[in-house]
Amino acid sequence: MEIRPILSTVLRNPVGLILIGLQVALTLAIVVNALYIIDERLANLRIEAGVDEEHILTLNSAGFASDFETTLATIHRDLDYLRKRPGVVSAMATNTLPLTQSGWSTEVEAQEALDGRSIDTAIYFADETLVETLGLDLIAGRAFREAEVEPYSMDQELRSTAVIVSAAAALALYPEIDRPEQALGRLVWNGAENDRFSAEIVGIVDGVKAPWKGLSSDIFDHVVYVPKVPVIANFGIYAVRSEPGAFADLLQNIQPELAELDTQRVVMEPNAFPEIRERFLRGDRAMAGMLITVVVLLLLVNILGIVGLVSFWVTQRTRQIGTRRALGATRGNILAYFLVENALISAMGVAVGIVAALALNNWLVSAFGVDRLPWAFLVGGAAGLLVLGIAAACVPALRAAAIPPAIATRSV
Amino acid sequence: MLTMNNLSKVYRTHLVETHALREFSIHVEEGEFVAVTGPSGSGKTTFMNIAGLLEEHTGGSYELDGIEVSGLSDRRRSAIRNEKLGFIFQGFNLIPDLNLFDNVDVPLRYRGFNASERRRRIESALEQVGLASRRRHFPAELSGGQQQRVAIARALAGEPRILLADEPTGNLDSAMARAVMEILEGINAAGTTIIMVTHDPELAARARRNVHIIDGQVTDLSSSFAGTPVGAAVASA
């Protein structure tokens, strides 16, 4: 294989090297990072909230009368209606649900001291029907007891005696345990430095998600349920789980029914959990779609660039190709020449592209909290671009291989 | 060494049919120096292309060094060109981005010689044309005569049985043309068969035999070669 003379030719004509090399380098840098982000976003589309997504809806209400205030009695009346309504499995008052992109979070500690192990976590309010209402996977411990559930208003501390935590939160809070069940009975600490309080972990649930994804922390998997009923100003939020087959009926009729119970407030259109999920994924879907378009366009430009430049070289070197054929080159030799030449240029571009891809990734990590690019993406992207470059060069290279040796004696 | 018998070459388009060679018969013995002359469009280049396996003929037979080349595959024809033939072109046809060493190396790489064998042959060939000291130079740094000497070195390095020269002095001034002609004469004296197309009657006269082509046919033969006259050779073939 005549690599050295080909390399010598390439280096004596640096314009082609610079054009194709830079094009390949830029394409690699952008495509590899874009593919990684696409992969992450597409993985998001497969996220499960950890609740019975197909049968849950939320109902929000807000009093409009100036003297209207949501009370514990109001909430009990609403829940009593909802729980007895045909087609409803269970219902509870809460502050928010997974994937709603709105909610509460705090930092909790594994010990009384503030300077020890701590995690960021989402806080959900729940009552004794939590597991049944949301269809959670309780892998250890128990649900809340009715006696543990207390009303909560905004002027109170968020104190409770018991909490239910997600398995991921338990493992993060107590790195020394092997299985999340081992966190049962341990204390979770919260509060200001001079006013610390704790709650015992009474249950572990698996797979439940926070309302949002954190940019740089693992908060998405960290969930702590507190046994509280939110009694906050004039608002009310209910999670309702339907029986199979009754979801459409609930979705259509539950709002006017609940509104009839109290004419001093507005009950909003119910939010079906699949819609909540769809809204949560909209950004990921749009980003993945946009990046896929960018990647396809970049690769197309890359292919067209290579086809164009190699075609130009073939035309420019027609006489030279004929001469090589006259001197004994087979069609395969000519084909190989152009493919090797393109592979060498692409390889140089890929080498620069790898550095550029890492630099771009570093910037994305620091600016947008994107994860570090795995080596597999870099290696796969580099190999893919090389193969694509060679494949793109095939068309003009085959045209070169078809040039007859008699061209050597013609004036072209 | 080279025998064409009733050979024809027809170029066809959807409108025109051109008979470039008709009933073309010639026999060239080993060691001959044959000058091929004729007016423009007479078929000289077509003859050279077919003789050099750069084109296929349409009819008749062509035997080169004992091999009937009609119908051979492209790969086989490439191998024969590489092993048995050396080419010298009017425009030199050096590869501008390769230095002299690499230019001479081109056919040797296709031959599959190892690096040391190629180096030996390249240095010997460049030595033979007096350009060994300039092997790292590029074609653009040489005069026309020097470039043609490099082309001769490239043709010689493979130790061909036949050297085919297409107007080898056509782009050179008379002094350079004489120098190139002297080199060719030296090569022929060493035993290599040479077939040279030329417009120059003075150069043709220096060949040991002249073949004249008109309208695609060998119409006039004059021989100073001490072998069988071409017509007789064909007749007895």
Side-chain angles (χ1 to χ4, degrees), chain A residues 1-6 8-9 12-13 317 319-320 322-334 337 404-410, chain B residues 11 45 49 53-55 74-75 78-79 81-82 87 89 91 93-99 101-103 105-107 109-110 136 138 154 166:
Chain A
M1 185 54 70
E2 44 184 335
I3 288 177
R4 191 189 52 75
I6 292 176
S8 158
T9 303
R12 272 180 64 82
N13 296 283
R317 298 181 194 166
R319 177 74 162 272
Q320 196 183 117
T323 303
R324 285 180 179 274
R325 293 280 281 125
L327 297 177
T330 61
R331 287 181 183 135
N333 291 136
I334 300 297
Y337 180 94
I407 287 290
T409 58
R410 286 183 204 155
Chain B
Y11 294 104
T45 300
N49 283 350
L53 305 188
L54 304 180
E55 285 185 68
D74 185 76
R75 177 179 284 271
S78 296
R81 279 198 300 273
N82 185 254
F87 288 93
F89 304 98
N93 291 23
L94 298 177
I95 294 169
D97 297 318
L98 298 179
N99 62 31
F101 186 96
D102 287 336
N103 259 291
D105 195 20
V106 169
R109 283 181 180 268
Y110 297 134
R136 296 295 165 209
F138 286 86
R154 181 177 65 186
D166 183 19

Side-chain angles (χ1 to χ4, degrees), chain A residues 216-240:
Chain A
S216 56
S217 73
D218 298 322
I219 194 169
F220 197 41
D221 290 313
H222 296 171
V223 166
V224 172
Y225 283 100
V226 292
K228 298 285 184 188
V229 176
V231 187
I232 300 168
N234 56 350
F235 300 107
I237 304 174
Y238 302 109
V240 183

Side-chain angles (χ1 to χ4, degrees), chain A residues 150-167:
Chain A
E150 296 172 327
Y152 172 81
S153 59
M154 290 296 278
D155 55 352
Q156 293 174 317
E157 288 279 8
L158 194 59
R159 290 172 190 267
S160 64
T161 54
V163 289
I164 294 172
V165 302
S166 65

Side-chain angles (χ1 to χ4, degrees), chain A residues 91-397:
Chain A
M92 71 173 186
T94 186
N95 57 337
T96 186
L97 285 180
L99 312 190
T100 54
Q101 304 190 77
S102 160
W104 299 23
S105 71
T106 188
E107 194 173 348
V108 295
E109 290 81 31
Q111 64 294 308
E112 187 172 6
L114 279 171
D115 55 354
R117 183 77 189 167
S118 68
I119 59 166
D120 288 322
T121 179
I123 297 290
Y124 290 129
F125 292 2
D127 62 19
E128 68 279 7
T129 69
L130 165 66
V131 174
E132 198 181 4
T133 302
L134 297 186
L136 295 182
D137 180 16
L138 182 71
I139 59 171
R142 60 171 174 83
F144 291 131
R145 293 181 180 127
E146 197 174 343
E148 289 168 336
V149 180
E150 296 172 327
Y152 172 81
S153 59
M154 290 296 278
D155 55 352
Q156 293 174 317
E157 288 279 8
L158 194 59
R159 290 172 190 267
S160 64
T161 54
V163 289
I164 294 172
V165 302
S166 65
L171 290 171
L173 205 50
Y174 309 106
E176 68 277 12
I177 64 175
D178 302 320
R179 290 174 291 116
E181 302 91 286
Q182 292 170 318
L184 276 180
R186 294 195 181 218
L187 297 180
V188 175
W189 289 84
N190 195 222
E193 187 174 5
N194 56 358
D195 184 21
R196 302 289 287 159
F197 50 86
S198 65
E200 182 189 344
I201 296 176
V202 299
I204 310 284
V205 288
D206 193 27
V208 68
K209 300 294 184 195
W212 60 83
K213 290 190 88 165
L215 270 183
S216 56
S217 73
D218 298 322
I219 194 169
F220 197 41
D221 290 313
H222 296 171
V223 166
V224 172
Y225 283 100
V226 292
K228 298 285 184 188
V229 176
V231 187
I232 300 168
N234 56 350
F235 300 107
I237 304 174
Y238 302 109
V240 183
R241 184 178 176 200
S242 81
E243 290 173 350
F247 194 65
D249 170 55
L250 270 186
L251 209 54
Q252 192 175 350
N253 300 313
I254 198 73
Q255 180 216 3
E257 291 174 19
L258 204 65
E260 266 183 33
L261 296 180
D262 193 332
T263 54
Q264 299 298 298
R265 63 177 182 181
V266 174
V267 178
M268 323 292 181
E269 286 282 339
N271 285 313
F273 199 90
E275 282 173 29
I276 293 173
R277 178 194 174 83
E278 187 53 36
R279 276 198 294 274
F280 180 79
L281 298 176
R282 198 172 290 160
D284 289 322
R285 218 185 286 279
M287 174 69 89
M290 189 191 73
L291 287 177
I292 286 171
T293 308
V294 167
V295 166
V296 169
L297 285 177
L298 267 176
L299 292 178
L300 206 61
V301 167
N302 199 52
I303 290 170
L304 290 177
I306 290 173
V307 169
L309 198 63
V310 177
S311 294
F312 172 71
W313 283 337
V314 170
T315 305
Q316 195 185 36
R317 298 181 194 166
T318 300
R319 177 74 162 272
Q320 196 183 117
I321 295 163
T323 303
R324 285 180 179 274
R325 293 280 281 125
L327 297 177
T330 61
R331 287 181 183 135
N333 291 136
I334 300 297
L335 181 69
Y337 180 94
F338 281 94
L339 294 185
V340 168
E341 182 177 57
N342 189 262
L344 284 174
I345 293 174
S346 294
M348 290 184 218
V350 160
V352 177
I354 286 174
V355 176
L358 289 173
L360 179 61
N361 181 243
N362 268 343
W363 177 71
L364 289 172
V365 168
S366 58
F368 299 105
V370 171
D371 287 339
R372 290 231 168 266
L373 192 62
W375 279 102
F377 271 81
L378 209 51
V379 173
L385 218 54
L386 264 180
V387 171
L388 196 72
I390 292 169
C394 267
V395 178

Side-chain angles (χ1 to χ4, degrees), chain B residues 88 100 104 122-134 142 145-157 179-180 183-184 187:
Chain B
I88 300 168
L100 306 194
V104 178
I122 295 164
E123 286 174 353
S124 163
L126 285 174
E127 193 75 50
Q128 210 172 331
V129 298
L131 288 168
S133 62
R134 306 194 68 175
L142 305 181
Q146 287 171 322
Q147 289 190 46
Q148 194 58 297
R149 278 151 63 192
V150 177
I152 292 170
R154 181 177 65 186
L156 286 180
V180 166
I183 292 173
L184 293 178
I187 293 166

